[in-house]
Amino acid sequence: MNSKRKTIIAGNWKMNKTCKEAEALLGEVLPKASDAACEVVVCTPYVDLPVACRVAEGSKVKVGAQNLHFKASGAYTGEISAAMLQELGVSYVIIGHSERREYFAETDATVSLKIGAALEAGLVPILCVGESLEQREQGIMSEHIRTQIKIDLANVSAADMGKVVVAYEPIWAIGTGKTATSAQAQEVCKLIRDTLAELFGADTAESVSILYGGSMNAKNAAELLSQPDIDGGLIGGASLKADDFGQIIAAAK
Ligand code: PGA
């Protein structure tokens, strides 16, 4: 963490929690976030967003979505636009999560369009990048991450880049209980920052919050967050347990 940048602890609930369950979980999370030294975000399923925005109103917790469609409106059955999220009071949106890339055929090209749509609506995009185990073993991790960053952010200006959050999520660490070591996570977060510096200038790169995601939990959070280029976490499994999520928030001092 670095005092110049915003520290962000964001929960990614994925496809978990009905509206009633979401209301109960958020009710447990709010008191744990009340004196947080960091920004706290919960990214819920679409249908839970209205209740989450209502419950979180006036608290320190911001609400995020897990996806959006890049078009403003139209014949896109089953999709949700940035304006629909913005009107609800949603502040953040996860874009390009590896599960969306893997199971829903999301590409760097659509991710890039989605980043543009989020920024236009005043939502903070949390852009996810990360390598598979195979790519790491083949020695093409750096090229892969740099390519993702370059294409996904191709249409973003330096001024707008200050509003984007990047999450490094090694695919082999997501939901597997296998966390990247703090050195591995730092190495790639630094690579991301260096790539941002090439594209947007050093000052902008220094201002971007870069999160780590992949089995971050109450036990390993403090160590990961102590790294100079890791400015927070994107947390899946552990964000579904208020106590664990609360301990991660507390570790982000
Ligand atoms: P995990 O998920 O913490 O359950 O590994 C992280 C994510 O996919 O954002």
Side-chain angles (χ1 to χ4, degrees):
M1 292 187 294
N2 176 311
S3 57
K4 280 188 287 183
R5 295 187 285 270
K6 195 183 258 186
T7 303
I8 302 170
I9 297 298
N12 174 9
W13 290 7
K14 308 193 180 184
M15 196 176 73
N16 293 291
K17 305 295 171 187
T18 65
C19 290
K20 277 189 188 152
E21 291 167 348
E23 185 165 12
L25 175 56
L26 195 51
E28 284 182 67
V29 167
L30 288 190
K32 299 186 190 297
S34 60
D35 59 356
C38 59
E39 177 101 321
V40 178
V41 184
V42 291
C43 300
T44 77
Y46 282 141
V47 294
D48 297 346
L49 291 170
V51 72
C53 287
R54 179 171 54 72
V55 173
E57 199 175 356
S59 80
K60 288 200 71 168
V61 175
K62 299 277 198 310
V63 176
Q66 299 170 13
N67 183 31
L68 51 63
H69 193 268
F70 49 85
K71 292 282 189 180
S73 63
Y76 301 101
T77 302
E79 293 294 320
I80 300 287
S81 74
M84 292 171 187
L85 299 174
Q86 191 273 336
E87 191 190 79
L88 281 179
V90 169
S91 313
Y92 285 80
V93 57
I94 297 172
I95 295 182
H97 191 280
S98 60
E99 286 154 14
R100 296 220 50 90
R101 294 178 192 256
E102 185 177 349
Y103 306 134
F104 303 99
E106 199 142 304
T107 64
D108 286 316
T110 56
V111 167
S112 161
L113 291 170
K114 290 178 179 199
I115 297 277
L119 287 169
E120 206 170 308
L123 300 170
V124 177
I126 303 176
L127 166 64
C128 299
V129 297
E131 82 289 359
S132 64
L133 189 57
E134 198 181 16
Q135 288 167 324
R136 181 171 270 264
E137 287 172 353
Q138 288 169 337
I140 57 168
M141 174 186 79
S142 304
E143 287 97 317
H144 174 69
I145 304 262
R146 282 171 56 79
T147 302
Q148 285 188 315
I149 292 282
K150 286 184 181 181
I151 303 177
D152 297 351
L153 298 172
N155 298 316
V156 176
S157 65
D160 275 349
M161 190 58 217
K163 301 173 201 154
V164 177
V165 173
V166 180
Y168 166 53
E169 298 210 307
I171 296 169
W172 47 272
I174 295 177
T176 56
K178 258 195 213 168
T179 317
T181 64
S182 53
Q184 286 172 323
Q186 163 60 23
E187 182 196 0
V188 183
C189 290
K190 168 89 166 52
L191 170 80
I192 291 170
R193 199 174 306 286
D194 290 345
T195 308
L196 295 178
E198 272 172 46
L199 298 172
F200 300 99
D203 287 352
T204 300
E206 277 304 306
S207 74
V208 174
S209 297
I210 301 179
L211 318 183
Y212 168 77
S215 300
M216 188 186 267
N217 59 39
K219 287 208 178 77
N220 60 29
E223 162 77 15
L224 287 159
L225 294 171
S226 71
Q227 300 301 309
D229 286 291
I230 301 179
D231 306 307
L234 182 56
I235 299 116
S239 73
L240 296 170
K241 296 178 207 127
D243 282 345
D244 291 27
F245 195 54
Q247 284 180 52
I248 298 171
I249 293 169
K253 282 204 209 83

